[in-house]
Amino acid sequence: MFTQDDRAFDRQHIWHPYTSLHEPLPCYPVVAAEKCQLELADGRRLVDGMSSWWAAIHGYNHPRLNQALQQQMAQMSHVMFGGITHPAAVQLCRQLVSMTPEALECVFLADSGSVAVEVSMKMAMQYWLGRGERRQQFLTLQRGYHGDTFAAMSVCDPDNSMHSLWRGFLPPHHFAAAPQCAFDDAWDERDIDDFARLIAQHHTQIAAVILEPIVQGAGGMRFYHPRYLQRVREYCDRYGLLLIADEIATGFGRSGKLFACEHAQIVPDILCLGKALTGGTMTLSATLTTREVADTIGRSEAGCFMHGPTFMGNPLACAVASASLALVQEGAWQRQVAGIEQQLRDQLLALRSHPQVADVRVLGAIGVVESRTPVNMAAIQRFFVDQGVWIRPFGRLIYLMPPYIITADELAQLTTAIGRALDNPALFNA
Ligand SMILES: *Cc1c(COP(=O)(O)O)cnc(C)c1O
């Protein structure tokens, strides 16, 4: 049930992501979700192309995830993590340590991706304090996205996250030009020049480099060259700086590898995970690091790592994450993601010659159509819903990152809807 009254209350009182309460864009009431489909209050079903922002990789209402939640709920939904531990957290962290590169063996659990990024930056600063140095600057890339809390925002692309609003409050960090060599391009060594210049100039002040490996997500849906990431690792080693890989969007198979760092065969010093960690069921994040970083943090003046959220290690979230990782470990994602990639290439790359299209790119289970002019949000959202699909573009980016379990027919519905939208000038701003 979703009444006209509910709709009116929602419009007047509830903020949705990045919207104005003054003049909100329309919202679509969803009352149920199953596998790869969302059910609207009026009974219509939409094929989901978003995985609820990278998260629902196994689809919705998954029996194994539901069962894990029910079993854990019957034991306890939550208990504090200070001075207490529990089987669900231990099992999840065992899985995380075994799935990630060998050097990453110490896990910090937190509530959301943004908090994982805060934690990673705090780890890097405390690591330097443990070495007797106060280092508070970070080096990152333009067009990056790392979350909406203040430290995370301070390393997001300055224009996209409107740093101008927070001038004087956000700490200033260093931004290297965004990589220009795309994933499949021939590598051009000059692509790393700006990064190399900045790290050479500021390395004595910098605590860590933080970036999204290979896939720059919310800052532009760009796929850059693995060699760029290799060079970053080499420069971090040369100057003795930590490398933080934010795999909150890319972790658990989305880019075609279990972790996007594998495209470049590099290992970060700190790894942030979130989004798909619980299969899209609950909010949870994990920040992993090496024994050396953990030990060095222990030598800082505080003597411990200064963080501890109320819901740290929430048992329900750990249990469902554990079930999700078990599904990942069974390995079906590899075939599924490869199949999605092939179909996206077949069906989206054909749109490259369309007059409204500036670029089309595909990597793993991510397909991006970049239009020449920005979409008219309200109009295109409505168009897609009328076409029976859930696709939520932003700016000039119409993109798909469906649940791995999507069928070929469902995926074809998504790509067909994009093709039709491009033919409709009313859906784009001039
Ligand atoms: C979504 C995202 C975050 C922030 O995660 P939240 O759970 O929304 O706080 C951080 N980094 C990247 C790369 C993301 O895609």
Side-chain angles (χ1 to χ4, degrees):
M1 265 293 274
F2 198 86
T3 62
Q4 280 307 322
D5 231 32
D6 293 338
R7 192 184 292 269
F9 186 90
D10 185 90
R11 274 186 76 83
Q12 271 167 32
H13 297 281
I14 311 180
W15 258 297
H16 288 265
Y18 290 96
T19 49
S20 141
L21 257 191
H22 175 61
E23 262 188 278
L25 288 167
C27 269
Y28 294 84
V30 169
V31 293
E34 174 77 23
K35 294 204 170 73
C36 205
Q37 305 210 345
L38 308 180
E39 185 186 326
L40 296 182
D42 64 12
R44 284 185 289 173
R45 285 171 181 277
L46 309 180
V47 175
D48 175 39
M50 306 307 292
S51 302
S52 288
W53 279 339
W54 314 87
I57 54 176
H58 310 299
Y60 300 90
N61 210 10
H62 196 289
R64 300 244 314 256
L65 303 188
N66 289 355
Q67 190 193 14
L69 282 169
Q70 275 158 358
Q71 277 175 0
Q72 182 59 48
M73 207 185 321
Q75 302 294 319
M76 61 182 170
S77 293
H78 183 64
V79 65
M80 66 189 281
F81 214 45
I84 288 174
T85 190
H86 54 80
V90 174
Q91 187 182 335
L92 171 63
C93 292
R94 266 194 215 284
Q95 285 165 297
L96 285 171
V97 168
S98 84
M99 291 170 86
T100 53
E102 208 176 319
L104 301 172
E105 51 169 305
C106 303
V107 189
F108 191 96
L109 298 170
D111 333 51
S112 72
S114 300
V115 176
V117 169
E118 301 278 326
V119 162
S120 71
M121 294 173 75
K122 209 187 258 190
M123 279 181 179
M125 287 194 271
Q126 272 199 261
Y127 165 85
W128 284 103
L129 288 173
R131 295 184 47 167
E133 280 190 57
R134 187 169 292 271
R135 292 198 181 195
Q136 300 181 328
Q137 295 179 9
F138 290 82
L139 171 56
T140 185
L141 309 183
Q142 285 173 9
R143 307 295 293 272
Y145 178 77
H146 297 284
D148 290 351
T149 54
F150 276 102
M153 199 166 50
S154 74
V155 287
C156 291
D157 183 84
D159 294 329
N160 283 339
S161 55
M162 299 203 71
H163 281 197
S164 56
L165 288 180
W166 323 108
R167 200 178 301 115
F169 183 75
L170 277 190
H173 297 304
H174 304 285
F175 291 86
Q180 296 304 312
C181 270
F183 187 85
D184 306 307
D185 285 354
W187 169 243
D188 180 349
E189 203 62 50
R190 284 171 301 184
D191 212 23
I192 198 71
D193 282 355
D194 198 51
F195 181 91
R197 177 183 65 78
L198 284 170
I199 201 168
Q201 202 174 343
H202 301 290
H203 68 92
T204 59
Q205 310 291 316
I206 291 172
V209 171
I210 178 168
L211 48 67
E212 299 155 279
I214 305 299
V215 177
Q216 292 191 294
M221 300 299 291
R222 308 167 82 249
F223 313 139
Y224 63 87
H225 201 287
R227 202 63 76 76
Y228 189 100
L229 187 54
Q230 287 171 352
R231 290 289 179 268
V232 167
R233 178 71 270 183
E234 288 160 17
Y235 279 111
C236 287
D237 290 342
R238 180 182 311 173
Y239 293 112
L241 301 184
L242 300 175
L243 175 58
I244 302 170
D246 177 351
E247 294 234 21
I248 290 164
T250 48
F252 309 111
R254 179 59 66 180
S255 74
K257 302 277 188 192
L258 187 58
F259 299 105
C261 282
E262 291 171 26
H263 289 289
Q265 294 162 308
I266 62 112
V267 176
D269 303 287
I270 302 178
L271 173 67
C272 301
L273 300 171
K275 290 202 162 109
L277 177 57
T278 63
T281 309
M282 297 178 71
T283 179
L284 182 73
S285 67
T287 308
L288 284 89
T289 192
T290 61
R291 182 66 59 189
E292 196 223 328
V293 169
D295 284 349
T296 310
I297 288 170
R299 287 197 291 276
S300 66
E301 184 190 339
C304 64
F305 183 57
M306 293 296 288
H307 212 95
T310 306
F311 285 94
M312 183 166 182
N314 173 254
L316 272 181
C318 288
V320 73
S322 195
S324 177
L325 295 194
L327 284 169
V328 169
Q329 280 172 309
E330 285 167 22
W333 68 269
Q334 287 184 297
R335 185 180 39 78
Q336 293 165 334
V337 169
I340 294 169
E341 175 164 18
Q342 191 53 54
Q343 192 177 344
L344 288 174
R345 284 188 195 282
D346 292 345
Q347 296 174 353
L348 290 184
L349 291 184
L351 299 171
R352 260 191 184 148
S353 53
H354 193 288
Q356 178 54 269
V357 171
D359 189 34
V360 179
R361 40 193 187 264
V362 173
L363 183 69
I366 315 168
V368 184
V369 175
E370 191 170 328
S371 56
R372 293 203 182 273
T373 54
V375 300
N376 176 329
M377 230 0 223
I380 202 167
Q381 190 77 88
R382 192 193 169 101
F383 176 85
F384 281 137
V385 169
D386 289 342
Q387 297 281 318
V389 298
W390 182 247
I391 302 172
R392 188 163 171 82
F394 66 88
R396 297 192 297 112
L397 299 168
I398 306 170
Y399 59 101
L400 300 175
M401 44 208 191
Y404 301 165
I405 58 148
I406 195 167
T407 65
D409 284 348
E410 287 170 327
L411 188 53
Q413 271 180 264
L414 293 170
T415 57
T416 304
I418 292 180
R420 289 192 184 134
L422 294 168
D423 289 336
N424 193 337
L427 304 180
F428 296 85
N429 296 324

